[in-house]
């Protein structure tokens, strides 16, 4: 893609981010973000997402980090209202994301994709999985059908690890995940740990790159596997993982927008990585 076309594509994407609410003023509230920062500072597993920080992070340090990397307000005194994500940081991160995809495709690296937000992000990841598979990358599906016991606000619940369109997710026992009914919402690192343990124990390849969100990214990075994916304004674990060198790329965006909102992001990344069909 020539520089003029690349610039036009970036400008169009930036406009889409603002119109769709993926960046700019987002649905995530400042109260929710600050609560998650406090939980992370207290090393609460619900906010760590499988990451074990190398050092203690205070709430002011987390606010400063999130302001620099995501675009939230840097003012510790701002306690209410909607949070913000800088669209220019989102575009820059998607450019970096595309570079990593191109490298993986060139090397035909084994890739594992997984999401804890299948109702929103499944289509985004499925587009990447299809393109990587077409480029010769093994898109892995380890531990398919295995049980994963996840702690929820209702207690420990059993789920099954499933794959839809090459993307891992968890679903309630007996459910048949599909694009129309894609599974359960979770931030747990346990699905990634289950999948990675099965891959390591099996005869096939282990992933060299994990693409996903929340526990998929943080747990993979913690275990030494290259990982990247989106991070919302209330997801400090991903940004700390990147700051500490265990997460390759974090794309700042609202992760709870309508599913169709993410289609232009997938197309942009595939165009810029040379993987468009």
């Amino acid at each position: 893609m020539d520089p003029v076309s690349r610039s036009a594509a970036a400008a169009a994407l930036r406009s889409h981010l603002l119109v769709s609410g993926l960046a700019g003023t987002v649905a995530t509230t400042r109260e929710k973000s600050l609560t998650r920062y406090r939980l992370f500072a207290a090393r609460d597993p619900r906010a760590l997402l499988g990451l074990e920080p190398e050092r203690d992070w205070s709430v002011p340090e987390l606010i400063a980090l999130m302001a620099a990397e995501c675009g939230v307000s840097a003012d510790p005194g701002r306690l209410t209202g909607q949070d913000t994500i800088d669209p220019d940081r989102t575009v820059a991160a998607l450019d970096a994301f595309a570079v990593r995809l191109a490298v993986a495709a060139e090397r035909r690296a084994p890739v594992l994709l997984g999401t804890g937000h299948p109702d929103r992000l499944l289509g985004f990841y499925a587009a990447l999985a299809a393109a990587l598979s077409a480029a010769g990358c093994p898109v892995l599906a380890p531990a398919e059908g295995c049980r994963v016991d996840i702690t929820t606000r209702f207690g420990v619940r059993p789920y099954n690890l499933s794959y839809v369109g090459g993307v891992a997710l968890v679903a309630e026992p007996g459910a048949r995940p599909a694009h129309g009914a894609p599974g359960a919402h979770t931030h747990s690192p346990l699905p990634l740990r289950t999948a990675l343990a099965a891959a390591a124990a099996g005869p096939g390849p282990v992933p060299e790159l994990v693409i996903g969100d929340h526990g998929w990214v943080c747990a993979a990075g913690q275990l030494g596997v290259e990982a990247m994916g989106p991070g919302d304004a209330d997801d400090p674990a991903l940004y700390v993982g990147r700051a500490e060198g265990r997460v390759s790329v974090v794309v700042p965006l609202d992760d709870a927008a309508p599913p169709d909102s993410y289609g232009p992001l997938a197309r942009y990344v595939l165009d810029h990585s040379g993987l468009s069909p």
Side-chain angles (χ1 to χ4, degrees):
M1 184 179 293
D2 63 82
V4 174
S5 297
R6 183 178 292 271
S7 178
L13 178 65
R14 187 183 190 280
S15 177
H16 169 73
L17 293 170
L18 293 172
V19 169
S20 64
L22 293 177
T25 300
V26 295
T28 306
T29 65
R30 183 67 165 182
E31 295 94 327
K32 185 179 179 184
S33 294
L34 292 175
T35 296
R36 194 69 63 83
Y37 302 168
R38 294 186 193 102
L39 290 173
F40 188 93
R43 291 183 175 259
D44 189 305
R46 292 172 294 177
L48 295 179
L49 309 180
L51 188 75
E52 297 176 12
E54 294 175 352
R55 66 175 182 84
D56 292 333
W57 286 77
S58 68
V59 172
E61 288 175 324
L62 291 170
I63 292 173
L65 174 69
M66 296 298 290
E69 298 296 326
C70 181
V72 306
S73 172
D75 180 8
R78 186 181 178 207
L79 306 178
T80 61
Q82 301 306 119
D83 232 326
T84 55
I85 290 176
D86 182 354
D88 293 323
R89 288 176 172 85
T90 305
V91 173
L94 286 169
D95 288 339
F97 193 103
V99 169
R100 297 307 307 149
L101 276 187
V103 171
E106 182 179 0
R107 297 177 54 240
R108 297 188 175 181
V111 180
L112 175 63
L113 299 96
T115 181
H117 279 223
D119 59 331
R120 308 291 182 173
L121 292 166
L122 179 60
F124 171 76
Y125 295 121
L128 304 184
L132 288 166
S133 179
C137 293
V139 176
L140 307 181
E144 184 167 15
C146 285
R147 173 170 162 164
V148 184
D149 292 328
I150 298 176
T151 300
T152 73
R153 58 182 175 173
F154 305 109
V156 177
R157 294 288 182 89
Y159 294 91
N160 290 333
L161 187 61
S162 301
Y163 289 82
V164 176
V167 184
L169 51 89
V170 295
E172 294 182 358
R176 294 182 177 274
H179 280 283
H185 171 220
T186 180
H187 292 181
S188 173
L190 295 179
L192 177 280
R193 292 173 183 165
T194 300
L196 202 59
V206 296
E208 296 180 16
L209 174 65
V210 170
I211 301 170
D213 46 70
H214 299 95
W216 287 93
V217 172
C218 291
Q222 182 65 38
L223 293 172
V225 181
E226 183 180 4
M228 62 183 189
D232 207 333
D234 63 344
D235 290 330
L238 285 89
Y239 295 91
V240 170
R242 183 175 182 274
E244 293 186 346
R246 276 166 289 167
V247 174
S248 292
V249 181
V250 183
V251 180
L253 56 79
D254 188 312
D255 59 18
D260 291 347
S261 301
Y262 303 97
L265 280 65
R267 291 191 290 273
Y268 180 88
V269 164
L270 295 178
D271 285 345
H272 284 63
S273 61
L275 295 177
S276 291

